[in-house]
Amino acid sequence: MDNQLFMVRDLRNNPNGSTLEIWKLLDYSSGNWSLSHQTDLSGQVATNLCEPQIVRVIGSVGSCRSVKKIVIATSKRMIDEKFETKVHSYDPRCKVLETILSVTEAHTSRITSTPSSRFGLFEESLAALRKTDREIALSSTLAKATKEILLRLPAKSVIQTKLVCKQWLSLTESPSFIQSYLEHKNMDKRPKVMLVGKGTGQSGFSFAPLNRCLPEDHRHIALLDTKMVCSKPCHGLNLISTEEKDYLYNPCTGFHKVYCNQAQAQAEQHAFAVGNKNVGLGFDLLTCEQFLVEIFYKLKDFESRQYNLTCELWRCKSGGYAQNYLVPPLPVNDMPPAYLEGMLYWMSEPRLGQRYERAIISFDIATNAFGVVPCPPCIAMWNRSCHWHAFVVELEGVLCAVLADPIGNNLDIWKIKHGEWGRAYKVHLEAWPDYSLETNVVVPLAVDPVDGRILLNTGKKLGLYDPVERTIQNLCSLDGAVACSKDQQSAGELNRMGSEIRPLVPMLYEENLACYPRVDKTRWM
């Protein structure tokens, strides 16, 4: 009992006092024992424990906060080859014996002695009776040493090691190693930025980690010829959306899947909107699978406040419909959603529909259900003459609502905890014209857990804002890369691109090995 060795002493026939003693071994080397429990077999206890021929203690039950009860099984011979077996729980504190189960057994063959009780305790678990061959191989000393080495390699190098031998293939594809790799590479929790450019061949995009020390190292990446919006990492994978397609990417390994759609082009928008769609990447915590939630506007008229939108849910693994004809309770604005713990969140569009105030639309991926979350009062208020912009983001694992004031040139960031809203940060941008809210949409991407600085993205500039000093450290100028590339490329090369050159796009990522089985064909929406 309790992972310790006990011994039961049956003294029911003792003339000096009928008892049942339970002794605990204190020390294996010395063999010292201590009396742990002594059950006085009198009254009701005597009736149930003295009459049976066999009494066996099979364990104890209870939590550390309550007194544990002793579980006792008994067996008693009855008439006509019948035997009565019972299971009791005994409370040592109250000295109360309670019968849990009573069963009468009949035996066809003649039995001279009373059979022992066949009851026993068990606990629910998924533990295997024995280790599989794969588990045995992965638990060897050589496999453990190999694992420690592979954990320190870049993700692309780990993928290449799968070709070395079957043992390494089995190791790198095991769920335990993939989880260990994710935890090891991201244990500092600091935001990691990847710059996304145009890809070559079958790869739609190219990626290069942003080096804070050498901000010009990204000049070798091919610039984009189409507008795109990137999501934050969702369990290792990122969503890259263009007007015609959505891409599920692991930028560390190059794994990607393509999801074609029929979105319509729109007039030039800010850096975080593309076409007439609003797409979010979420994760079902029950099935452990990514999902795409795609909202398309078929009608959006701010003058009449009329709108018509559709919503579809897609499984990323199979590429098939998970749910169709979902209807959000409110129209959503053109900013990307925020993902948090199995939920996606959008800010509503107060210029459409019957509601003249802002609210947050939630979507539970596991239940496919929409909901509405109230905003902080200062963000919920809206009128036609107000040019303030609002959206939602995830910062430090918490849902945040952001109000952008272009007149005061500041971001008011609120966070919700335990159902209550409170101000988290105030970002002052009046001294930084490159981050002016009059000409830019500025999105806080992450908070550095080491120094508390906030990573800001305008689509053209990327910088770290210090809330104490109210200063910004520029990490890179993405629009400067366009001018640099134009200087390096010939006029013929620029003309062959056939479209406007666009700057590189920054994207947060997690170094990991996440992927899905590949399929031959892309799916059409």
Side-chain angles (χ1 to χ4, degrees):
M1 296 188 296
D2 300 329
N3 296 321
Q4 291 182 297
L5 181 63
F6 286 81
M7 178 176 61
V8 180
R9 190 181 182 193
D10 188 353
L11 298 176
R12 291 181 296 166
N13 298 323
N14 188 356
N16 298 325
S18 180
T19 60
L20 194 68
E21 297 179 348
I22 301 178
W23 293 73
K24 178 172 67 174
L25 179 61
L26 298 178
D27 183 68
Y28 285 88
S29 58
S30 63
N32 292 332
W33 293 80
S34 172
L35 181 61
S36 179
H37 300 288
Q38 186 176 42
T39 305
D40 183 12
L41 301 181
S42 60
Q44 177 196 6
V45 177
T47 304
N48 288 284
L49 295 184
C50 289
E51 292 182 359
Q53 286 83 7
I54 295 178
V55 175
R56 185 165 64 94
V57 176
I58 60 176
S60 62
V61 294
S63 63
C64 58
R65 296 182 179 180
S66 61
V67 176
K68 289 198 172 185
K69 296 181 179 181
I70 302 172
V71 182
I72 304 172
T74 64
S75 183
K76 181 175 67 173
R77 176 185 285 272
M78 300 176 68
I79 59 175
D80 298 331
E81 302 300 329
K82 291 184 179 180
F83 300 89
E84 183 184 50
T85 57
K86 293 183 178 181
V87 179
H88 312 273
S89 67
Y90 177 72
D91 190 333
R93 181 182 58 181
C94 304
K95 297 183 179 180
V96 174
L97 188 75
E98 179 185 358
T99 301
I100 302 174
L101 181 66
S102 179
V103 177
T104 300
E105 299 182 53
H107 294 266
T108 55
S109 59
R110 184 174 181 81
I111 299 178
T112 57
S113 60
T114 302
S116 178
S117 171
R118 293 182 291 176
F119 294 111
L121 299 181
F122 75 99
E123 60 181 12
E124 290 184 319
S125 74
L126 299 176
L129 294 178
R130 68 176 186 87
K131 289 186 176 181
T132 63
D133 294 339
R134 181 177 183 178
E135 290 173 333
I136 295 174
L138 296 180
S139 62
S140 67
T141 304
L142 177 59
K144 291 179 180 178
T146 304
K147 174 182 176 181
E148 292 301 319
I149 296 173
L150 295 179
L151 287 177
R152 288 155 176 80
L153 295 180
K156 284 190 175 181
S157 298
V158 175
I159 297 299
Q160 292 172 353
T161 62
K162 293 183 178 182
L163 304 176
V164 174
C165 61
K166 290 183 178 179
Q167 288 78 10
W168 284 28
L169 173 64
S170 178
L171 172 62
T172 53
E173 290 188 344
S174 65
S176 61
F177 177 81
I178 294 174
Q179 182 62 29
S180 297
Y181 189 88
L182 175 65
E183 295 173 356
H184 183 269
K185 288 295 185 179
N186 303 280
M187 63 174 61
D188 59 357
K189 304 295 183 182
R190 304 193 75 176
K192 299 179 178 65
V193 180
M194 191 82 77
L195 294 180
V196 186
K198 184 180 179 181
T200 58
Q202 295 182 350
S203 179
F205 304 96
S206 59
F207 305 91
L210 176 65
N211 189 324
R212 295 184 182 181
C213 300
L214 300 173
E216 304 302 326
D217 282 355
H218 60 265
R219 289 183 175 178
H220 68 280
I221 310 175
L223 296 178
L224 296 165
D225 57 4
T226 183
K227 188 177 182 181
M228 53 172 283
V229 176
C230 299
S231 76
K232 297 177 73 170
C234 177
H235 289 259
L237 300 178
N238 292 77
L239 173 68
I240 299 178
S241 293
T242 66
E243 287 184 351
E244 297 180 354
K245 297 178 181 180
D246 296 315
Y247 300 82
L248 187 67
Y249 254 98
N250 182 336
C252 302
T253 64
F255 161 79
H256 65 279
K257 294 185 71 172
V258 184
Y259 305 85
C260 299
N261 57 58
Q262 299 178 6
Q264 299 174 359
Q266 297 284 315
E268 186 63 26
Q269 302 159 303
H270 56 76
F272 305 97
V274 55
N276 66 329
K277 66 180 181 179
N278 194 316
V279 187
L281 176 63
F283 189 80
D284 189 335
L285 300 175
L286 298 179
T287 62
C288 296
E289 179 184 359
Q290 273 90 355
F291 281 76
L292 291 184
V293 182
E294 301 178 320
I295 298 176
F296 295 91
Y297 270 99
K298 296 184 177 180
L299 171 65
K300 185 190 291 186
D301 189 340
F302 295 123
E303 293 296 327
S304 64
R305 300 185 63 86
Q306 294 182 354
Y307 73 94
N308 182 13
L309 56 78
T310 61
C311 180
E312 298 171 349
L313 181 66
W314 291 87
R315 297 180 183 274
C316 291
K317 185 175 182 179
S318 62
Y321 267 119
Q323 186 65 273
N324 200 357
Y325 304 113
L326 296 168
V327 181
L330 295 171
V332 301
N333 69 5
D334 55 2
M335 291 296 290
Y339 169 78
L340 190 70
E341 296 178 349
M343 303 284 290
L344 280 169
Y345 299 91
W346 291 263
M347 183 63 72
S348 70
E349 177 55 83
R351 295 177 294 174
L352 297 173
Q354 303 301 316
R355 187 164 178 165
Y356 286 76
E357 62 180 15
R358 297 186 182 95
I360 297 174
I361 299 101
S362 65
F363 182 73
D364 190 323
I365 297 173
T367 61
N368 298 342
F370 281 102
V372 177
V373 180
C375 286
C378 63
I379 297 181
M381 294 185 300
W382 175 86
N383 59 70
R384 286 186 177 273
S385 60
C386 177
H387 298 287
W388 293 6
H389 194 49
F391 52 94
V392 292
V393 294
E394 174 272 321
L395 295 175
E396 301 177 292
V398 179
L399 176 65
C400 295
V402 182
L403 184 64
D405 176 10
I407 300 175
N409 240 328
N410 58 65
L411 296 175
D412 198 7
I413 304 176
W414 292 70
K415 66 180 179 180
I416 186 170
K417 274 193 173 183
H418 310 295
E420 299 290 334
W421 287 100
R423 179 175 276 112
Y425 300 99
K426 189 88 168 184
V427 179
H428 298 271
L429 301 171
E430 56 269 15
W432 305 93
D434 287 341
Y435 296 83
S436 171
L437 296 176
E438 294 182 357
T439 56
N440 299 286
V441 174
V442 181
V443 175
L445 291 180
V447 178
D448 193 317
V450 176
D451 54 28
R453 292 189 296 176
I454 304 171
L455 182 63
L456 300 179
N457 178 26
T458 70
K460 298 179 180 179
K461 304 286 184 181
L462 197 65
L464 283 169
Y465 175 79
D466 189 329
V468 178
E469 302 293 335
R470 297 186 179 181
T471 58
I472 296 180
Q473 176 194 352
N474 284 309
L475 297 182
C476 69
S477 176
L478 301 173
D479 53 351
V482 175
C484 174
S485 178
K486 286 182 177 180
D487 293 338
Q488 294 175 352
Q489 289 177 298
S490 65
E493 289 175 326
L494 294 178
N495 291 333
R496 282 195 297 271
M497 294 184 70
S499 61
E500 180 186 356
I501 298 178
R502 299 180 182 272
L504 306 176
V505 175
M507 179 177 71
L508 290 182
Y509 74 99
E510 297 171 334
E511 191 162 1
N512 69 99
L513 304 172
C515 67
Y516 282 126
R518 296 185 182 273
V519 292
D520 295 332
K521 296 182 180 179
T522 60
R523 57 88 172 157
W524 289 84
M525 296 167 49

